[in-house]
Amino acid sequence: MAAEVAPGYFDPLAVDPEQARDVARWRTAERQRLLAARGAMSASGRRGLADALAARLEAVLSAEAGPLRGRILSAYWPIRNEPDLRPLMIRLLAAGADVALPVAARPAAPLQFRRWTSDTRLERGVWNIPVPPADAPALTPQIVLAPLVGWDGAGYRLGNGGGYFDRTLAVLDPRPLVIGVGFEDARLPTIFPQPHDVPMDLIVTEAGVRVRRAG
Ligand SMILES: Nc1nc2c(c(=O)[nH]1)N(C=O)[C@@H](CNc1ccc(C(=O)N[C@@H](CCC(=O)O)C(=O)O)cc1)CN2
Ligand SMILES: Nc1ncnc2c1ncn2[C@@H]1O[C@H](COP(=O)(O)OP(=O)(O)OP(=O)(O)O)[C@@H](O)[C@H]1O
């Protein structure tokens, strides 16, 4: 009997399509809930938490990555009430780091990273996200700040649902130090990690380093 069944049938790592659909549906609902909660914060409350988060990040960066001069860091231009780290991005530039922004240039493809300075004239990319223009230098980041919609204690990230960071982290070589950044309140018991989900090396919130994966 067993010999008649394709060996893949018993593959314990195979994804059950029904379960994958359930997880995807659950994530869509959790994303909505978390985005609504973040949107309901006052602007000044969000600003205060973002500033606290930026201070935590600065300490983490110097502890983990050493001097920032010459380092290539990817940050993000805030959308959907994400923590606004633009003041930190300016300080990183002043410290001599190269700052890049992610660009979803093609659907279902890895992100590109383009150099950003305070003089860069941003254009509107997909979903109206401001991005550096196509002639901005392409950079390969050594450190990636990945904005979190949600996160869990195992270091997994719930993002905006495009799968862009997962696709990107799957192909970046050498692999950068990946730091998930978001608000403490966005913690979930688990995001039900799927085979494509790439865990963060660190998760930092306004409360400090919340997850650190060995590695
Ligand atoms: N500030 C910032 N920039 C970023 C990201 C980010 O999360 N934050 N990205 C990080 O990847 C990339 C853009 N990713 C995005 C992915 C999906 C959607 C989006 O609109 N998604 C659908 C929901 C899809 C679903 O739930 O299945 C939507 O909300 O309608 C927007 C941006 C690149 N730049
Ligand atoms: N490496 C990959 N290769 C192919 N598809 C992928 C990969 N990573 C993610 N996906 C697909 O992208 C979709 C969204 O994934 P997921 O819910 O993890 O997004 P997210 O991490 O929240 O989004 P984002 O990174 O854009 O903020 C899923 O359907 C998933 O199958």
Side-chain angles (χ1 to χ4, degrees):
M1 262 302 274
E4 293 167 24
V5 178
Y9 187 75
F10 292 111
D11 181 354
L13 296 177
V15 181
D16 171 2
E18 205 174 316
Q19 193 186 321
R21 257 194 315 275
D22 285 347
V23 170
R25 258 197 300 269
W26 177 85
R27 286 187 180 182
T28 302
E30 281 302 287
R31 244 176 227 120
Q32 274 176 15
R33 181 183 70 76
L34 290 162
L35 289 171
R38 193 164 73 186
M41 291 165 62
S42 72
S44 63
R46 230 176 357 245
R47 180 74 264 152
L49 295 185
D51 289 342
L53 171 54
R56 299 285 197 179
L57 260 177
E58 250 172 326
V60 168
L61 287 173
S62 57
E64 301 283 331
L68 288 168
R69 180 159 304 280
R71 290 278 171 162
I72 306 173
L73 260 119
S74 167
Y76 60 88
W77 200 263
I79 57 169
R80 298 176 165 179
N81 305 308
E82 286 169 337
D84 181 357
L85 299 181
R86 288 175 294 182
L88 172 65
M89 288 155 59
I90 300 280
R91 296 201 291 277
L92 293 172
L93 288 175
D98 277 327
V99 176
L101 290 174
V103 183
R106 282 176 298 127
L111 294 164
Q112 297 175 6
F113 296 94
R114 294 185 191 150
R115 184 155 188 257
W116 173 82
T117 71
S118 49
D119 295 330
T120 305
R121 293 175 71 97
L122 298 174
E123 297 176 347
R124 294 275 166 184
V126 280
W127 298 296
N128 257 350
I129 301 176
V131 295
D135 63 2
L139 297 180
T140 302
Q142 300 163 319
I143 302 168
V144 170
L145 305 182
L148 305 162
V149 174
W151 58 280
D152 72 19
Y156 287 99
R157 164 180 181 274
L158 184 69
N160 277 302
Y164 284 99
F165 272 103
D166 292 319
R167 268 188 223 97
T168 307
L169 299 177
V171 298
L172 275 184
D173 183 22
R175 196 176 186 285
L177 177 72
V178 187
I179 307 178
V181 295
F183 296 127
E184 186 63 25
D185 272 0
R187 182 170 187 162
L188 298 165
T190 176
I191 70 151
F192 299 105
Q194 301 295 295
H196 69 265
D197 287 313
V198 180
M200 308 285 102
D201 296 307
L202 293 157
I203 288 185
V204 180
T205 75
E206 72 276 12
V209 175
R210 309 300 278 120
V211 178
R212 180 191 304 273
R213 288 178 64 97

